[in-house]
């Protein structure tokens, strides 16, 4: 989710800043610098053209999920690439440039990447085998889920990397992925006897708080223990607390968002109640401007708030899944009007988030503010195995030439029909049903 993107994006920005700051002003009459080395070629099967160091597995997995809800079967080469990123122990790193190299203790594994990869793989077509669950895809899913359960923290949650302190985002992403793959997160207990929901509710801000009421914090402040509202953590926790995931459909009938404190003083809300409180917070935040804003960068001069497109899309999904589609509709309309440049710049993960947000509210991702998001996503990587017939027909129509040649082709069809009519032959029109790919 967005915090992952921010952290990965921040890491990339810091790396770029280090390069810029490492060199001083050029010396006079210095020898010309050698030509920069060409950027390494990206692996075949990967979606997107930007450096995948921090988000290769993440963006590939989100692309698969968005394709799946659009009735598109991911490309087999792309699936093979994602499966090749998995280490023998079941976990995934953010990106491994050389999958042929065996993972070792220096390989930095990533709970977020593992969780979304497991969920994405659960939706791809699996090869037929004699024994259920024995195909490579099912084995990869099982190994990934087992690894996630094996690195659960004693408090019941997960951190970004194994052993790091639990945070609301990582815990929520893992919970949603496990729920989506048939597990019961409430039955998964740590060595300390805690469930993921025990960890999740620790990040919930009470409804009577002066600031951020109902929201979730990313982590408690390490010094004071204070909880500060975080929009992305809240969106992720709403889905996890409701046992849902990024591919969720909106709930009907419409429900009124409410923030409720447990009746007993100092009582801890259930995960579902905390999730619904979080949804109420998001509904109020979106009502102010139609979108969420990026948090200010530490040390940056005070500037006007900048819209957070990805987090807004996540909030739409969370609200729709909680039964507050009407509260999310304005934000989705705002995304339709304003997100095109952001999606083009950001690439496959951004297109995927918009598609998933549209899917949750039942909007048409192939006509999203006039853009076909599914086609734009598919164009960032290898062509999918199968696309819905309506998409193929649109592509064929757009490829047909206009003008005399097209008119001639249309005339010839009706000429043949007329000949048959004149000949007195009975003509029956058989309308064959067209099988569409299964919507996920």
């Amino acid at each position: 989710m967005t915090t992952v993107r921010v952290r990965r994006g921040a890491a990339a920005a810091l790396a770029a800043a280090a390069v810029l700051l490492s060199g001083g002003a050029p010396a006079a009459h210095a020898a010309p610098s050698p030509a920069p080395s060409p950027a390494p070629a990206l692996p075949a099967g990967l979606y997107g053209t930007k450096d995948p160091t921090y988000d290769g597995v993440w963006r590939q997995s989100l692309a698969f999920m968005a394709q799946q809800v659009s009735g598109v079967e991911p490309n087999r080469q792309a699936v093979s690439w994602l499966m090749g990123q998995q280490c023998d122990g079941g976990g995934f790193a953010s990106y491994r440039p050389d999958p042929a190299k065996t993972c070792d203790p220096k390989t930095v594994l990533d709970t977020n990447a593992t969780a979304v990869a497991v969920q994405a793989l659960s939706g791809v077509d699996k090869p037929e085998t004699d024994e259920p669950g024995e195909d490579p895809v099912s084995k990869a899913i099982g190994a990934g889920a087992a690894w996630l359960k094996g690195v659960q923290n004693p408090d019941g949650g997960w951190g970004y990397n194994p052993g790091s302190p639990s945070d609301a985002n990582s815990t929520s992403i893992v919970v949603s992925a496990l729920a989506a793959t048939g597990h019961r997160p409430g039955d998964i207990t740590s060595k300390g006897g805690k469930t993921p929901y025990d960890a999740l509710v620790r990040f919930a801000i009470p409804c009577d708080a002066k600031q951020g009421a109902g929201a979730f914090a990313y982590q408690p402040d390490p010094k004071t223990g204070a909880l500060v509202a975080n929009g992305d953590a809240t969106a992720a926790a709403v889905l996890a607390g409701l046992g849902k995931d990024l591919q969720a459909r909106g709930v009907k009938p419409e429900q009124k968002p409410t923030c409720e404190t447990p009746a007993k003083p100092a009582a801890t809300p259930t995960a579902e109640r905390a999730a619904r409180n979080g949804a109420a917070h998001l509904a109020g935040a979106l009502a102010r401007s139609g979108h969420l804003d990026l948090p200010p960068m530490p040390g940056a001069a005070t500037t006007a708030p900048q819209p957070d497109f990805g987090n807004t899309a996540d909030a739409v999904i969370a609200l729709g899944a909680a039964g507050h589609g009407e509260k999310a509709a304005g934000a989705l309309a705002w995304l339709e009007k304003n997100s095109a440049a952001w999606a083009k710049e950001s690439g496959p993960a951004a297109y995927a988030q918009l598609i998933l947000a549209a899917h949750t509210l039942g909007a048409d991702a192939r006509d999203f503010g006039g853009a076909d998001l599914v086609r734009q996503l598919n164009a960032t990587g290898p062509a999918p195995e199968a696309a819905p017939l309506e998409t193929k027909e649109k592509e064929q129509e757009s490829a047909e030439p206009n003008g005399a040649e097209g008119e001639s082709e249309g005339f010839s069809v009706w000429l043949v029909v007329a000949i048959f009519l004149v000949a007195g032959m009975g003509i029956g029109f058989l309308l064959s049903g067209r099988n569409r790919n299964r919507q996920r």
Side-chain angles (χ1 to χ4, degrees):
M1 289 198 168
T2 308
T3 294
V4 177
R5 293 190 305 276
V6 169
R7 290 165 70 187
R8 289 173 178 165
L14 289 172
V19 171
L20 292 173
L21 295 173
S22 62
H29 309 296
S33 300
S37 301
L42 293 177
L46 175 65
Y47 279 81
T49 58
K50 292 187 176 181
D51 181 0
T53 300
Y54 303 104
D55 76 337
V57 170
W58 180 266
R59 74 195 194 201
Q60 190 87 345
S61 301
L62 258 65
F64 286 7
M65 286 191 236
Q67 288 177 328
Q68 290 157 11
V69 301
S70 304
V72 175
E73 178 60 28
N75 180 280
R76 296 310 304 175
Q77 184 182 35
V79 174
S80 296
W81 179 86
L82 182 58
M83 292 180 62
Q85 290 288 300
Q86 189 174 35
C87 294
D88 291 340
F92 285 75
S94 301
Y95 172 71
R96 292 199 298 134
D98 185 7
K101 183 179 178 181
T102 302
C103 299
D104 58 31
K106 294 182 180 179
T107 304
V108 181
L109 298 178
D110 177 342
T111 61
N112 294 237
T114 303
V116 295
V118 164
Q119 183 178 343
L121 289 173
S122 70
V124 304
D125 283 351
K126 300 170 181 61
E128 294 183 3
T129 58
D130 294 334
E131 295 294 332
E134 290 301 310
D135 64 273
V137 176
S138 296
K139 288 182 178 179
I141 295 167
W147 181 85
L148 287 168
K149 289 186 280 188
V151 298
Q152 185 181 20
N153 285 336
D155 65 3
W158 285 267
Y160 186 74
N161 302 116
S164 61
S166 298
D167 65 77
N169 293 71
S170 299
T171 300
S172 298
I173 291 168
V174 173
V175 167
S176 289
L178 290 175
T181 52
H183 297 80
R184 295 176 60 88
D187 294 340
I188 299 172
T189 56
S190 68
K191 294 180 180 179
K194 300 292 186 179
T195 73
Y197 295 131
D198 291 327
L200 194 60
V201 296
R202 291 194 308 111
F203 305 112
I205 300 175
C207 292
D208 57 1
K210 293 182 179 179
Q211 293 184 336
F216 282 75
Y218 174 70
Q219 285 178 327
D221 183 276
K223 294 182 179 179
T224 66
L227 298 175
V228 178
N230 180 289
D232 188 53
T234 304
V238 168
L239 289 176
L242 297 176
K244 298 184 179 182
D245 58 81
L246 287 171
Q247 293 176 298
R249 287 289 255 177
V251 173
K252 299 291 184 181
E254 187 74 12
Q255 303 174 41
K256 181 181 179 180
T258 58
C259 193
E260 299 177 4
T261 302
K264 296 181 179 180
T268 302
T270 64
E272 181 181 354
R273 182 64 259 169
R276 297 201 176 280
N277 292 346
H281 173 86
L282 290 175
L286 289 179
R288 288 192 286 272
S289 62
H291 61 80
L292 301 181
D293 293 323
L294 289 166
M297 293 294 290
T302 303
T303 58
Q306 298 297 311
D308 186 338
F309 294 94
N311 199 8
T312 299
D314 290 342
V316 168
I317 297 170
L319 285 175
H324 311 316
E326 292 180 3
K327 299 294 183 182
L332 188 67
W334 181 87
L335 288 169
E336 284 192 76
K337 184 178 179 181
N338 297 284
S339 65
W342 166 76
K344 183 177 180 181
E345 170 62 24
S346 301
Y351 287 124
Q353 284 180 283
L354 295 174
I355 291 169
L356 292 167
H359 167 77
T360 298
L361 295 194
D364 187 358
R366 294 185 179 82
D367 186 12
F368 193 80
D372 187 338
L373 295 177
V374 179
R375 184 184 298 183
Q376 290 175 332
L377 171 62
N378 293 344
T380 66
E385 292 297 307
L389 287 177
E390 64 183 38
T391 301
K392 292 181 180 179
E393 289 169 352
K394 288 180 181 178
E395 292 173 351
Q396 291 171 355
E397 289 171 3
S398 64
E400 288 178 357
N402 294 322
E405 185 177 349
E407 293 172 0
S408 172
E409 203 170 312
F411 175 75
S412 64
V413 173
W414 288 108
L415 179 60
V416 172
V417 173
I419 291 172
F420 277 98
L421 287 171
V422 171
M425 297 179 63
I427 298 176
F429 292 93
L430 176 63
L431 300 178
S432 59
R434 295 175 176 178
N435 293 326
R436 298 180 182 273
N437 289 333
R438 177 170 56 91
Q439 297 286 336
R440 294 180 172 89

